[in-house]
Amino acid sequence: MTAPPRQLPAAATKEWRARLRRLPVLAVAIPVAAAALWVAFLAEGTPAGPATDNPGKFLVTALDAVTFAGLLFVAASGFTLIFGLMRTVNMAHGSLFLLAAYIAIRTQEAMVGRSRNIEPAHVGMLDWLVPMLVGAGVAAVLGLLIQQLFLQWTEGQELRQALMTLALTVVLADQMLREFGGLAQTMVWPGAVSHFFSVAGERYALTRVFILGVAVLVGVLLWLWLTRTSMGMVIRAGVDDRGMVRALGINIRLVFALTFLVGSFLTGVGGVLGASFAGAAPGTDGSWLLNALIVVIVGGLGSLKGAAAGSLLYGVVVAFSPVYLPSDYSYYAIIMTFALLALVLAVRPNGLFGRPA
């Protein structure tokens, strides 16, 4: 008879399991440490050079990463509410983003009294804030109509929701092309924030800091709403157990409709910021839908701090990759986004702060 296989002691088994659990963390920590070493000391032959030799360029790139992360957070916050918290697949997110931008641009032109050659000196703060509220309000109303007419009857049917909202995206894209044309348009910043200041000898736009301020305000208000109000508690409870919330006599459909309204409004705010930052044109909707998806996947479904962390990581990758890759290989910067997704999901399959569905 053959001898039974030798079994490791319980302590040794536990130690081996602990080592295996550390492997994914090491797989992330080693590339991150290597990237930090490269940026700090070894980045010869890159557009920026090592951070120790050119600290001004490094600081500007870091500010670009943080401010772009703020824009990503605002653009993805509505998607986080609708898809992350409510588990409703709304692929028309990008269309609401672009529609709000177009409406805001038209409203700004009407308020300023000119349709072309608008300069920041022509634009007061109200000439930017009012169009933003109008554009975001239109996106909110349209988002609520989509939720009431199409999505609330298909709860839990993700594939059907995705197909319906993709069809709506095609319809909305065609209508926006007919109404607003195919040329890129820009929402003009107010003159009060259209200035530059110096960062370690480098010029930097105040408008990017303004975007970061709006993002911080949105994040604080969302956090207070979800954690310090009774409606926020009902939303979080309804995500976990809708049946129990209904049993308590709460109209969960009304609560989720208001959540969809707020999420669509935030999508519109992101659209106006995006149009002010980089303009609005056909195809922008798909780009920002992809950005929102990446942020939510990296951060984790249903987590506001996950959306903030995902935005920051994505912003760092987008800002640093083209500047600190070797000049002959800077066109590979887009690959870094996929590397980010792979590294995060290897360690946290549900995202950084996500929970299993």
Side-chain angles (χ1 to χ4, degrees):
M1 294 179 63
T2 58
R6 184 181 175 187
Q7 305 221 347
L8 290 173
T13 302
K14 184 181 292 186
E15 182 181 353
W16 274 106
R17 287 177 179 172
R19 289 180 181 178
L20 288 174
R21 281 196 296 268
R22 285 196 293 267
L23 285 178
V25 178
L26 289 174
V28 174
I30 291 173
V32 169
L37 183 64
W38 171 266
V39 169
F41 304 106
L42 306 174
E44 300 288 351
T46 64
T52 51
D53 295 341
N54 193 349
K57 187 64 177 178
F58 172 79
L59 289 174
V60 166
T61 305
L63 278 174
D64 283 346
V66 174
T67 53
F68 184 61
L71 177 58
L72 286 170
F73 176 77
V74 177
S77 57
F79 200 69
T80 299
L81 278 178
I82 294 170
F83 181 46
L85 274 175
M86 295 174 57
R87 300 295 195 269
T88 300
V89 181
N90 179 27
M91 303 304 286
H93 176 88
S95 296
L96 297 178
F97 182 98
L98 184 57
L99 178 63
Y102 279 138
I103 295 294
I105 290 169
R106 286 289 179 87
T107 305
Q108 185 182 66
E109 290 173 351
M111 292 183 68
V112 174
R114 339 177 37 147
S115 60
R116 61 182 65 186
N117 299 326
I118 300 176
E119 301 291 337
H122 304 144
V123 181
M125 188 60 73
L126 284 179
D127 296 326
W128 189 86
L129 285 175
V130 172
M132 181 195 72
L133 294 175
V134 172
V138 171
V141 172
L142 180 58
L144 181 61
L145 288 174
I146 291 173
Q147 192 262 346
Q148 291 291 303
L149 295 176
F150 300 101
L151 298 179
Q152 73 167 331
W153 313 110
T154 56
E155 291 179 1
Q157 303 176 47
E158 289 83 2
L159 180 58
R160 180 172 292 182
Q161 289 177 341
L163 291 174
M164 283 195 302
T165 50
L166 279 173
L168 287 171
T169 295
V170 174
V171 173
L172 289 171
D174 284 344
Q175 294 305 309
M176 285 187 285
L177 181 62
R178 179 186 66 84
E179 180 65 27
F180 302 107
L183 299 178
Q185 303 178 41
T186 303
M187 180 83 170
V188 181
W189 289 111
V193 299
S194 298
H195 302 292
F196 292 87
F197 61 97
S198 179
V199 177
E202 302 277 344
R203 280 178 24 125
Y204 201 76
L206 183 61
T207 51
R208 297 194 69 130
V209 181
F210 181 74
I211 291 173
L212 182 60
V214 173
V216 171
L217 178 62
V218 168
V220 170
L221 291 177
L222 265 181
W223 179 79
L224 290 174
W225 183 50
L226 291 173
T227 62
R228 295 292 186 268
T229 66
S230 56
M231 178 172 289
M233 296 176 187
V234 169
I235 291 169
R236 289 183 285 116
V239 168
D240 293 332
D241 194 337
R242 298 189 186 190
M244 181 59 71
V245 172
R246 287 192 180 100
L248 293 173
I250 297 172
N251 187 344
I252 193 66
R253 287 189 181 276
L254 176 61
V255 172
F256 276 11
L258 291 174
T259 305
F260 211 98
L261 184 75
V262 173
S264 300
F265 181 85
L266 291 174
T267 301
V269 172
V272 177
L273 283 174
S276 304
F277 175 75
T284 307
D285 48 352
S287 300
W288 284 101
L289 173 62
L290 179 60
N291 288 336
L293 278 169
I294 292 174
V295 168
V296 172
I297 290 170
V298 170
L301 291 177
S303 173
L304 191 61
K305 61 182 178 181
S311 299
L312 184 59
L313 283 175
Y314 188 25
V316 167
V317 169
V318 169
F320 277 82
S321 296
V323 177
Y324 284 100
L325 282 175
S327 299
D328 294 337
Y329 299 96
S330 58
Y331 47 83
Y332 287 119
I334 186 64
I335 297 176
M336 296 298 104
T337 301
F338 298 101
L340 170 67
L341 285 171
L343 286 174
V344 170
L345 295 180
V347 179
R348 303 280 296 180
N350 298 304
L352 292 175
F353 296 96
R355 296 176 299 170

